[in-house]
Amino acid sequence: KYSAGDKWIFLADIKQINSDLTGVAVDGVEFVIVKKDGDLHVFSGVCLHSEALLSHGFLDGDYLTCGSHLWRYNIQNGELDGEPGIYLKKLNVRQENEKIFVQSTDLEELRDLDEY
């Protein structure tokens, strides 16, 4: 799935993940870690609508819901509920030695967006 040339950036220690949603910032980029049924999903941490932090929202079944205006994103693929084709950035994740890593290319892509 990953090539030997992939670079990984440390995101969080597994011990930091105590609830359904955990916010983490790396190099000024916000992320939200969603924990559901033992699985971890990592997304851009800022809502596409109001730029609110998604870590301040809540998990509703398979949906990450923004606390500001209730926009809902499917945690399997990041798709905005009711708006096919609009996605919250879902990151590739690697877990190793109780640590969570994301691909450096994903971090760079988010950093390059206008909102950062």
Side-chain angles (χ1 to χ4, degrees):
K1 184 175 177 180
Y2 307 113
S3 71
D6 288 341
K7 293 181 183 174
W8 295 88
I9 305 292
F10 173 74
L11 185 64
D13 192 301
I14 293 287
K15 295 174 188 159
Q16 290 177 261
I17 314 303
N18 296 321
S19 62
D20 294 343
L21 303 179
T22 303
V24 178
V26 175
D27 291 340
V29 178
E30 297 287 340
F31 298 93
V32 62
I33 302 170
V34 178
K35 180 179 172 183
K36 180 158 193 282
D37 299 330
D39 292 328
L40 296 177
H41 308 272
V42 178
F43 295 92
S44 164
V46 179
C47 182
L48 296 174
H49 173 232
S50 63
E51 297 186 14
L53 292 179
L54 290 167
S55 60
H56 296 166
F58 57 94
L59 192 58
D60 179 19
D62 279 344
Y63 289 90
L64 166 59
T65 303
C66 178
S68 291
H69 295 99
L70 305 180
W71 278 34
R72 297 167 24 107
Y73 302 93
N74 186 302
I75 63 169
Q76 300 306 318
N77 59 17
E79 187 170 44
L80 180 61
D81 190 32
E83 295 291 335
I86 297 177
Y87 293 86
L88 185 65
K89 173 71 176 168
K90 184 171 185 176
L91 288 84
N92 293 309
V93 177
R94 186 178 91 196
Q95 294 181 51
E96 185 177 305
N97 299 324
E98 300 295 312
K99 298 186 184 318
I100 303 167
F101 298 87
V102 294
Q103 285 185 301
S104 62
T105 52
D106 285 340
L107 175 64
E108 291 163 11
E109 180 181 325
L110 289 174
R111 191 183 303 130
D112 289 342
L113 292 176
D114 291 339
E115 64 227 36
Y116 292 108

PDB file of all heavy atoms in Angstrom, residues 24-43:
ATOM      1  N   VAL A  24      -5.571  17.785  17.024  1.00  0.00           N
ATOM      2  CA  VAL A  24      -4.107  17.848  17.055  1.00  0.00           C
ATOM      3  C   VAL A  24      -3.665  18.851  15.998  1.00  0.00           C
ATOM      4  O   VAL A  24      -4.242  18.896  14.907  1.00  0.00           O
ATOM      5  CB  VAL A  24      -3.488  16.460  16.737  1.00  0.00           C
ATOM      6  CG1 VAL A  24      -1.982  16.531  16.720  1.00  0.00           C
ATOM      7  CG2 VAL A  24      -3.952  15.403  17.715  1.00  0.00           C
ATOM      8  N   ALA A  25      -2.649  19.645  16.314  1.00  0.00           N
ATOM      9  CA  ALA A  25      -2.079  20.568  15.327  1.00  0.00           C
ATOM     10  C   ALA A  25      -0.625  20.190  15.081  1.00  0.00           C
ATOM     11  O   ALA A  25       0.109  19.887  16.020  1.00  0.00           O
ATOM     12  CB  ALA A  25      -2.175  22.004  15.813  1.00  0.00           C
ATOM     13  N   VAL A  26      -0.224  20.185  13.806  1.00  0.00           N
ATOM     14  CA  VAL A  26       1.161  19.925  13.415  1.00  0.00           C
ATOM     15  C   VAL A  26       1.562  21.006  12.420  1.00  0.00           C
ATOM     16  O   VAL A  26       0.886  21.188  11.404  1.00  0.00           O
ATOM     17  CB  VAL A  26       1.317  18.526  12.762  1.00  0.00           C
ATOM     18  CG1 VAL A  26       2.733  18.330  12.252  1.00  0.00           C
ATOM     19  CG2 VAL A  26       0.931  17.424  13.734  1.00  0.00           C
ATOM     20  N   ASP A  27       2.613  21.722  12.721  1.00  0.00           N
ATOM     21  CA  ASP A  27       3.093  22.791  11.835  1.00  0.00           C
ATOM     22  C   ASP A  27       1.985  23.767  11.446  1.00  0.00           C
ATOM     23  O   ASP A  27       1.887  24.191  10.304  1.00  0.00           O
ATOM     24  CB  ASP A  27       3.730  22.206  10.575  1.00  0.00           C
ATOM     25  CG  ASP A  27       5.033  21.492  10.853  1.00  0.00           C
ATOM     26  OD1 ASP A  27       5.646  21.751  11.909  1.00  0.00           O
ATOM     27  OD2 ASP A  27       5.448  20.664  10.014  1.00  0.00           O
ATOM     28  N   GLY A  28       1.105  24.086  12.392  1.00  0.00           N
ATOM     29  CA  GLY A  28       0.032  25.037  12.129  1.00  0.00           C
ATOM     30  C   GLY A  28      -1.160  24.468  11.397  1.00  0.00           C
ATOM     31  O   GLY A  28      -2.096  25.196  11.073  1.00  0.00           O
ATOM     32  N   VAL A  29      -1.158  23.176  11.115  1.00  0.00           N
ATOM     33  CA  VAL A  29      -2.265  22.530  10.421  1.00  0.00           C
ATOM     34  C   VAL A  29      -3.086  21.742  11.442  1.00  0.00           C
ATOM     35  O   VAL A  29      -2.535  20.964  12.219  1.00  0.00           O
ATOM     36  CB  VAL A  29      -1.756  21.588   9.304  1.00  0.00           C
ATOM     37  CG1 VAL A  29      -2.921  20.893   8.616  1.00  0.00           C
ATOM     38  CG2 VAL A  29      -0.921  22.364   8.296  1.00  0.00           C
ATOM     39  N   GLU A  30      -4.395  21.974  11.436  1.00  0.00           N
ATOM     40  CA  GLU A  30      -5.294  21.299  12.374  1.00  0.00           C
ATOM     41  C   GLU A  30      -5.777  19.968  11.814  1.00  0.00           C
ATOM     42  O   GLU A  30      -6.132  19.870  10.636  1.00  0.00           O
ATOM     43  CB  GLU A  30      -6.515  22.182  12.666  1.00  0.00           C
ATOM     44  CG  GLU A  30      -6.191  23.482  13.346  1.00  0.00           C
ATOM     45  CD  GLU A  30      -5.799  23.330  14.808  1.00  0.00           C
ATOM     46  OE1 GLU A  30      -6.110  22.297  15.423  1.00  0.00           O
ATOM     47  OE2 GLU A  30      -5.159  24.272  15.328  1.00  0.00           O
ATOM     48  N   PHE A  31      -5.811  18.969  12.698  1.00  0.00           N
ATOM     49  CA  PHE A  31      -6.320  17.647  12.351  1.00  0.00           C
ATOM     50  C   PHE A  31      -7.335  17.229  13.402  1.00  0.00           C
ATOM     51  O   PHE A  31      -7.294  17.699  14.535  1.00  0.00           O
ATOM     52  CB  PHE A  31      -5.189  16.603  12.356  1.00  0.00           C
ATOM     53  CG  PHE A  31      -4.122  16.869  11.352  1.00  0.00           C
ATOM     54  CD1 PHE A  31      -2.993  17.588  11.701  1.00  0.00           C
ATOM     55  CD2 PHE A  31      -4.251  16.404  10.056  1.00  0.00           C
ATOM     56  CE1 PHE A  31      -2.001  17.841  10.772  1.00  0.00           C
ATOM     57  CE2 PHE A  31      -3.259  16.658   9.117  1.00  0.00           C
ATOM     58  CZ  PHE A  31      -2.134  17.379   9.478  1.00  0.00           C
ATOM     59  N   VAL A  32      -8.221  16.324  13.023  1.00  0.00           N
ATOM     60  CA  VAL A  32      -9.099  15.685  13.988  1.00  0.00           C
ATOM     61  C   VAL A  32      -8.934  14.179  13.825  1.00  0.00           C
ATOM     62  O   VAL A  32      -8.941  13.655  12.704  1.00  0.00           O
ATOM     63  CB  VAL A  32     -10.581  16.123  13.840  1.00  0.00           C
ATOM     64  CG1 VAL A  32     -11.162  15.747  12.493  1.00  0.00           C
ATOM     65  CG2 VAL A  32     -11.418  15.566  14.985  1.00  0.00           C
ATOM     66  N   ILE A  33      -8.720  13.514  14.958  1.00  0.00           N
ATOM     67  CA  ILE A  33      -8.607  12.058  14.970  1.00  0.00           C
ATOM     68  C   ILE A  33      -9.936  11.525  15.483  1.00  0.00           C
ATOM     69  O   ILE A  33     -10.391  11.891  16.567  1.00  0.00           O
ATOM     70  CB  ILE A  33      -7.453  11.597  15.879  1.00  0.00           C
ATOM     71  CG1 ILE A  33      -6.136  12.208  15.415  1.00  0.00           C
ATOM     72  CG2 ILE A  33      -7.384  10.063  15.904  1.00  0.00           C
ATOM     73  CD1 ILE A  33      -4.983  12.019  16.380  1.00  0.00           C
ATOM     74  N   VAL A  34     -10.570  10.670  14.686  1.00  0.00           N
ATOM     75  CA  VAL A  34     -11.852  10.076  15.041  1.00  0.00           C
ATOM     76  C   VAL A  34     -11.598   8.631  15.455  1.00  0.00           C
ATOM     77  O   VAL A  34     -10.990   7.865  14.705  1.00  0.00           O
ATOM     78  CB  VAL A  34     -12.837  10.110  13.849  1.00  0.00           C
ATOM     79  CG1 VAL A  34     -14.155   9.441  14.216  1.00  0.00           C
ATOM     80  CG2 VAL A  34     -13.056  11.534  13.374  1.00  0.00           C
ATOM     81  N   LYS A  35     -12.058   8.290  16.636  1.00  0.00           N
ATOM     82  CA  LYS A  35     -11.906   6.924  17.145  1.00  0.00           C
ATOM     83  C   LYS A  35     -13.284   6.287  17.228  1.00  0.00           C
ATOM     84  O   LYS A  35     -14.170   6.787  17.917  1.00  0.00           O
ATOM     85  CB  LYS A  35     -11.267   6.959  18.528  1.00  0.00           C
ATOM     86  CG  LYS A  35     -11.056   5.614  19.163  1.00  0.00           C
ATOM     87  CD  LYS A  35     -10.391   5.798  20.517  1.00  0.00           C
ATOM     88  CE  LYS A  35     -10.314   4.523  21.297  1.00  0.00           C
ATOM     89  NZ  LYS A  35      -9.734   4.766  22.635  1.00  0.00           N
ATOM     90  N   LYS A  36     -13.463   5.198  16.464  1.00  0.00           N
ATOM     91  CA  LYS A  36     -14.750   4.502  16.471  1.00  0.00           C
ATOM     92  C   LYS A  36     -14.519   3.014  16.313  1.00  0.00           C
ATOM     93  O   LYS A  36     -13.847   2.579  15.387  1.00  0.00           O
ATOM     94  CB  LYS A  36     -15.663   5.000  15.356  1.00  0.00           C
ATOM     95  CG  LYS A  36     -17.008   4.268  15.356  1.00  0.00           C
ATOM     96  CD  LYS A  36     -18.081   5.051  14.663  1.00  0.00           C
ATOM     97  CE  LYS A  36     -19.444   4.496  14.921  1.00  0.00           C
ATOM     98  NZ  LYS A  36     -19.824   3.347  14.189  1.00  0.00           N
ATOM     99  N   ASP A  37     -15.067   2.248  17.240  1.00  0.00           N
ATOM    100  CA  ASP A  37     -14.963   0.787  17.213  1.00  0.00           C
ATOM    101  C   ASP A  37     -13.524   0.317  17.079  1.00  0.00           C
ATOM    102  O   ASP A  37     -13.237  -0.636  16.348  1.00  0.00           O
ATOM    103  CB  ASP A  37     -15.819   0.211  16.074  1.00  0.00           C
ATOM    104  CG  ASP A  37     -17.294   0.540  16.223  1.00  0.00           C
ATOM    105  OD1 ASP A  37     -17.752   0.678  17.372  1.00  0.00           O
ATOM    106  OD2 ASP A  37     -17.978   0.666  15.194  1.00  0.00           O
ATOM    107  N   GLY A  38     -12.613   1.002  17.738  1.00  0.00           N
ATOM    108  CA  GLY A  38     -11.208   0.609  17.714  1.00  0.00           C
ATOM    109  C   GLY A  38     -10.437   1.077  16.501  1.00  0.00           C
ATOM    110  O   GLY A  38      -9.225   0.894  16.425  1.00  0.00           O
ATOM    111  N   ASP A  39     -11.114   1.675  15.535  1.00  0.00           N
ATOM    112  CA  ASP A  39     -10.449   2.183  14.335  1.00  0.00           C
ATOM    113  C   ASP A  39     -10.177   3.677  14.486  1.00  0.00           C
ATOM    114  O   ASP A  39     -10.954   4.400  15.110  1.00  0.00           O
ATOM    115  CB  ASP A  39     -11.316   1.975  13.092  1.00  0.00           C
ATOM    116  CG  ASP A  39     -11.477   0.509  12.734  1.00  0.00           C
ATOM    117  OD1 ASP A  39     -10.528  -0.272  12.977  1.00  0.00           O
ATOM    118  OD2 ASP A  39     -12.550   0.147  12.221  1.00  0.00           O
ATOM    119  N   LEU A  40      -9.081   4.125  13.879  1.00  0.00           N
ATOM    120  CA  LEU A  40      -8.741   5.546  13.876  1.00  0.00           C
ATOM    121  C   LEU A  40      -8.842   6.092  12.462  1.00  0.00           C
ATOM    122  O   LEU A  40      -8.347   5.481  11.520  1.00  0.00           O
ATOM    123  CB  LEU A  40      -7.323   5.759  14.403  1.00  0.00           C
ATOM    124  CG  LEU A  40      -7.072   5.367  15.850  1.00  0.00           C
ATOM    125  CD1 LEU A  40      -5.605   5.572  16.200  1.00  0.00           C
ATOM    126  CD2 LEU A  40      -7.953   6.153  16.798  1.00  0.00           C
ATOM    127  N   HIS A  41      -9.490   7.235  12.336  1.00  0.00           N
ATOM    128  CA  HIS A  41      -9.619   7.942  11.059  1.00  0.00           C
ATOM    129  C   HIS A  41      -9.098   9.353  11.310  1.00  0.00           C
ATOM    130  O   HIS A  41      -9.439   9.975  12.318  1.00  0.00           O
ATOM    131  CB  HIS A  41     -11.078   8.010  10.620  1.00  0.00           C
ATOM    132  CG  HIS A  41     -11.775   6.688  10.605  1.00  0.00           C
ATOM    133  ND1 HIS A  41     -11.765   5.856   9.513  1.00  0.00           N
ATOM    134  CD2 HIS A  41     -12.502   6.054  11.563  1.00  0.00           C
ATOM    135  CE1 HIS A  41     -12.462   4.769   9.793  1.00  0.00           C
ATOM    136  NE2 HIS A  41     -12.917   4.860  11.034  1.00  0.00           N
ATOM    137  N   VAL A  42      -8.288   9.866  10.401  1.00  0.00           N
ATOM    138  CA  VAL A  42      -7.729  11.205  10.569  1.00  0.00           C
ATOM    139  C   VAL A  42      -8.172  12.080   9.395  1.00  0.00           C
ATOM    140  O   VAL A  42      -8.055  11.683   8.232  1.00  0.00           O
ATOM    141  CB  VAL A  42      -6.188  11.167  10.663  1.00  0.00           C
ATOM    142  CG1 VAL A  42      -5.627  12.584  10.783  1.00  0.00           C
ATOM    143  CG2 VAL A  42      -5.743  10.304  11.839  1.00  0.00           C
ATOM    144  N   PHE A  43      -8.674  13.265   9.742  1.00  0.00           N
ATOM    145  CA  PHE A  43      -9.171  14.213   8.749  1.00  0.00           C
ATOM    146  C   PHE A  43      -8.561  15.583   8.975  1.00  0.00           C
ATOM    147  O   PHE A  43      -8.088  15.896  10.071  1.00  0.00           O
ATOM    148  CB  PHE A  43     -10.699  14.370   8.878  1.00  0.00           C
ATOM    149  CG  PHE A  43     -11.466  13.134   8.571  1.00  0.00           C
ATOM    150  CD1 PHE A  43     -11.805  12.249   9.586  1.00  0.00           C
ATOM    151  CD2 PHE A  43     -11.846  12.844   7.279  1.00  0.00           C
ATOM    152  CE1 PHE A  43     -12.508  11.098   9.313  1.00  0.00           C
ATOM    153  CE2 PHE A  43     -12.557  11.685   6.994  1.00  0.00           C
ATOM    154  CZ  PHE A  43     -12.891  10.809   8.014  1.00  0.00           C
TER     155      PHE A  43
END
